[in-house]
């Protein structure tokens, strides 16, 4: 901390000058997070930025707006409507907190039942695909739940429902299905998972439930694929999370989790406090948080309505198709993402014997584009891909500009000598080399490090400090 103060204008200029070196959020095609909202919503955000959401007694209207948002999302996800069946939900700081809360509810419900049955309750597990977002690994580690992952296969980059159900045992607190994989945008087959799990529950006497992680796809499927059964229409689906700051079209910092009925959220997890002026129930991992994202979500719901969201999602899918077609015309790429799913395009080089997707990602940085290159998870590590997320503010003209820049990068790297060997153009799980007469085996991690060395060299020095 400096010893002395400085004029406010100087402090602003110092920080503003440094922030100019950040990437352009609208050209950050790595992120699902919303980077543009209407000026009217920006005004509402700034007007409420000093409101602490947790002060429900002081800001009752803000609390009411959150409840309306939960209600609208619950109906969007086809929650049962009956006098004795009422859905409950809460706003969270993104889907990570939502998943933690849902996981805790499943763990506590499972423990309660095991105690009543006089059975051990110290070894809970959860079944997911290897394609899950890191927040699931955090939940498992932080709250001492074994994570049983269904490994991916080359050409099949989502959780296989058959294999998932095979992993279920009496200690499984739930099976987590992903509606919109981070890797390829693909929807997992929740309906098939539900049918297979229902059959297993009938055979074993268990009642293993399903949680749907709809962080990316929860605001896509209801508008583009209304007949797709993935939500509360399936009886075993007990909770769903969705990110308001992704295709909910709100700036970063808001997620939602909805439980099918009140019975699916154990009362003991809900705390009641009265030191802010009145009795207030709370079920969150944090306490204080801003109100602005909740208000922004409500603005989008009433401003756009079902029609507006549908139009935006259709436009995003149209731009994703245009990008896909443009990439296919180059003849250089294999498209890995599917037609049904989140509006993104994941693609790999057909021939990466001389150059890799990591070089393309690096080359696009010169034009300001941030396009991530990465390898697939376990059992598909040999596949390296690029991914472009198509958001509301990624227009058709930007699609065309990106395609032209990719073509320029391809021409440039074709004129350069190979920066990686054939062996490391795609990552292989185990590379055999020799050191004299002695075979030398490289681990997956070592091989990945070799492939991405030039990318790390490019990024070195651009970031510093704690992450």
């Amino acid at each position: 901390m400096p010893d002395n103060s400085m004029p406010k204008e100087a402090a602003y200029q110092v920080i503003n000058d440094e922030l100019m070196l950040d990437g352009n959020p609208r050209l950050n095609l790595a992120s699902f997070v919303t980077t543009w909202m209407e000026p009217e919503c920006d005004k509402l955000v700034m007007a409420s930025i000093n409101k602490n959401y947790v002060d429900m007694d002081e800001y009752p209207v803000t609390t009411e707006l959150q409840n309306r948002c939960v209600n609208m999302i619950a109906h969007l996800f086809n929650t049962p409507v009956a006098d004795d069946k009422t859905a409950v939900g809460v706003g969270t700081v993104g889907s990570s907190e939502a998943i933690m809360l849902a996981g805790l509810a499943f763990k506590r419900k499972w423990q309660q039942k095991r105690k009543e049955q006089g059975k051990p309750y110290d070894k809970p597990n959860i079944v997911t695909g290897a394609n899950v977002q890191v927040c699931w690994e955090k939940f498992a580690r932080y709250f001492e739940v074994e994570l049983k992952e269904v490994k991916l296969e080359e050409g099949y980059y989502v959780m296989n429902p058959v294999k998932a159900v095979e992993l279920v045992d009496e200690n499984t607190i739930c099976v987590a299905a992903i509606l919109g994989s981070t890797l390829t945008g693909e929807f997992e087959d929740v309906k098939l998972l539900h049918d297979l799990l229902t059959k297993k529950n009938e055979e074993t006497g268990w009642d293993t439930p399903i949680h749907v992680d709809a962080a990316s796809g929860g605001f896509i499927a209801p508008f583009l694929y209304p007949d797709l059964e993935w939500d509360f229409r399936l009886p075993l689906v007990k909770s769903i999370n969705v990110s308001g700051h992704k295709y909910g079209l709100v700036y970063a910092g808001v997620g939602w989790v909805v439980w099918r009925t009140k019975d699916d959220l154990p009362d003991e997890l809900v705390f009641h406090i009265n030191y802010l002026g009145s009795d207030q129930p709370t079920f969150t991992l944090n306490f204080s948080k801003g109100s602005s994202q909740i208000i922004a979500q409500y603005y989008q719901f009433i401003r756009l309505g079902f029609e507006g969201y549908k139009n935006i999602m259709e436009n995003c899918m149209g731009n994703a198709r245009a990008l896909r077609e443009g990439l296919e015309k180059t003849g250089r790429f294999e498209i890995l993402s599917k037609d049904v799913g989140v509006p993104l395009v994941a693609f790999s080089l057909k021939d990466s014997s001389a150059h890799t997707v990591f070089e393309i990602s690096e080359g696009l940085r010169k034009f300001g584009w941030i396009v991530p290159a990465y390898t697939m998870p376990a059992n598909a590590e040999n596949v390296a891909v690029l991914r472009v997320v198509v958001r509301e503010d990624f227009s058709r003209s930007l699609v065309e500009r990106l395609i032209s820049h990719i073509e320029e990068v391809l021409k440039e790297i074709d004129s350069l000598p190979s920066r990686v060997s054939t062996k490391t153009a795609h990552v292989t799980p185990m590379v055999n080399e020799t050191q004299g007469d002695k075979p030398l085996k490289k681990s997956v991690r070592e091989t990945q490090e070799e492939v991405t060395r030039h990318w790390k060299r490019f990024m070195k020095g651009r970031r510093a400090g704690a992450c």
Side-chain angles (χ1 to χ4, degrees):
M1 182 178 291
D3 292 332
N4 302 310
S5 303
M6 68 170 66
K8 60 181 183 292
E9 296 84 1
Y12 169 83
Q13 196 63 52
V14 166
I15 298 171
N16 187 62
D17 288 349
E18 286 203 65
L19 290 175
M20 289 173 61
L21 300 176
D22 267 347
N24 184 336
R26 289 191 61 186
L27 299 183
N28 178 11
L29 306 183
S31 178
F32 291 83
V33 175
T34 296
T35 54
W36 178 86
M37 296 186 75
E38 292 176 324
E40 290 76 10
C41 192
D42 288 345
K43 292 178 183 177
L44 288 172
V45 168
M46 293 307 300
S48 58
I49 203 163
N50 59 349
K51 290 184 180 179
N52 187 357
Y53 170 76
V54 79
D55 294 338
M56 299 179 185
D57 192 54
E58 288 82 354
Y59 308 120
V61 175
T62 299
T63 302
E64 172 62 20
L65 296 187
Q66 184 218 226
N67 294 339
R68 292 178 191 174
C69 288
V70 169
N71 192 25
M72 284 187 261
I73 292 169
H75 281 286
L76 197 64
F77 295 166
N78 294 292
T79 184
V81 179
D83 294 337
D84 60 338
K85 300 292 183 183
T86 304
V88 294
V90 67
T92 60
V93 184
S95 274
S96 291
E97 184 188 10
I99 285 168
M100 303 286 175
L101 298 178
L104 281 172
F106 282 120
K107 181 180 178 182
R108 193 54 56 91
K109 290 278 289 184
W110 174 83
Q111 287 177 326
Q112 289 173 346
K113 184 172 182 179
R114 298 285 289 183
K115 288 179 183 178
E116 293 170 359
Q117 295 173 339
K119 297 179 179 179
Y121 53 90
D122 60 333
K123 294 183 179 179
N125 68 66
I126 188 168
V127 176
T128 71
N131 58 312
V132 293
Q133 215 262 0
V134 70
C135 59
W136 284 100
E137 299 177 44
K138 289 182 178 180
F139 165 74
R141 189 176 302 177
Y142 294 168
F143 297 105
E144 298 181 320
V145 176
E146 180 190 0
L147 186 66
K148 300 173 74 171
E149 289 187 341
V150 178
K151 302 304 181 185
L152 306 186
E153 307 166 29
E154 189 168 342
Y156 193 86
Y157 305 114
V158 293
M159 180 178 70
N160 185 320
V162 176
K163 293 183 178 179
V165 174
E166 289 174 354
L167 292 177
V168 171
D169 58 32
E170 62 179 351
N171 293 321
T172 302
I173 63 174
C174 80
V175 180
I178 310 299
L179 195 78
S181 170
T182 300
L183 303 176
T184 63
E186 187 176 351
F187 292 167
E188 293 182 347
D189 194 337
V190 186
K191 178 64 165 62
L192 177 57
L193 174 66
H194 176 273
D195 293 345
L196 293 172
L197 192 54
T198 298
K199 183 178 179 181
K200 185 161 188 172
N201 284 343
E202 292 172 352
E203 293 172 349
T204 60
W206 305 333
D207 57 355
T208 308
I210 295 173
H211 174 86
V212 179
D213 179 358
S216 300
F219 285 118
I220 300 290
F223 305 106
L224 299 185
Y225 316 107
D227 296 328
L228 182 67
E229 293 185 56
W230 63 273
D231 52 20
F232 291 124
R233 285 170 287 185
L234 304 175
L236 289 183
V237 175
K238 301 300 183 183
S239 56
I240 301 172
N241 69 277
V242 65
S243 291
H245 61 218
K246 292 182 180 176
Y247 289 99
L249 307 180
V250 177
Y251 292 138
V254 63
W256 303 92
V257 58
V258 179
W259 286 269
R260 184 185 193 87
T261 69
K262 289 182 178 179
D263 295 337
D264 297 309
L265 176 60
D267 290 335
E268 62 193 89
L269 293 178
V270 180
F271 292 83
H272 293 265
I273 57 136
N274 61 11
Y275 47 77
L276 292 176
S278 66
D279 179 69
Q280 299 175 8
T282 175
F283 179 41
T284 55
L285 294 181
N286 68 307
F287 195 64
S288 295
K289 68 177 180 181
S291 297
S292 54
Q293 272 79 11
I294 300 289
I295 293 168
Q297 185 73 83
Y298 186 68
Y299 171 89
Q300 292 290 52
F301 283 170
I302 65 169
R303 161 77 175 93
L304 297 173
F306 192 95
E307 176 191 31
Y309 269 92
K310 182 178 180 181
N311 290 339
I312 289 171
M313 300 314 155
E314 287 177 342
N315 186 60
C316 288
M317 290 301 293
N319 288 335
R321 282 192 294 270
L323 176 59
R324 176 181 182 140
E325 291 167 1
L327 293 171
E328 289 175 333
K329 286 179 181 178
T330 68
R332 302 286 294 273
F333 298 107
E334 178 184 357
I335 307 298
L336 303 182
S337 48
K338 306 298 182 183
D339 291 333
V340 175
V342 176
L344 66 78
V345 182
F347 52 104
S348 63
L349 279 168
K350 291 181 179 179
D351 179 9
S352 53
S353 59
H355 300 282
T356 73
V357 293
F358 297 95
E359 291 177 72
I360 297 174
S361 177
E362 180 181 332
L364 288 172
R365 282 270 183 168
K366 295 187 303 183
F367 300 101
W369 301 106
I370 303 173
V371 179
Y374 54 88
T375 55
M376 290 294 189
N379 288 17
E381 302 100 325
N382 61 312
V383 180
V385 303
L386 293 157
R387 186 195 67 201
V388 173
V389 178
V390 179
R391 301 188 302 270
E392 177 189 11
D393 57 348
F394 189 55
S395 64
R396 187 62 60 89
S397 61
L398 287 177
V399 169
E400 294 168 354
R401 181 62 62 88
L402 175 62
I403 293 170
S404 68
H405 286 163
I406 290 174
E407 291 173 341
E408 287 187 45
V409 170
L410 288 172
K411 291 179 182 177
E412 180 181 349
I413 64 175
D414 285 344
S415 66
L416 300 173
S418 175
R419 293 169 64 175
V420 294
S421 68
T422 303
K423 290 181 179 178
T424 58
H426 275 296
V427 182
T428 51
M430 190 63 73
V431 179
N432 295 324
E433 295 182 354
T434 59
Q435 189 174 34
D437 296 327
K438 183 180 179 181
L440 176 65
K441 287 189 175 182
K442 292 184 179 180
S443 67
V444 172
R445 180 180 294 277
E446 289 171 335
T447 308
Q448 289 174 342
E449 288 175 352
E450 184 174 352
V451 174
T452 59
R453 187 175 295 120
H454 64 282
W455 173 251
K456 291 179 179 179
R457 195 164 54 240
F458 171 74
M459 293 300 295
K460 187 177 181 181
R462 295 175 71 95
R463 296 189 179 92
C467 62

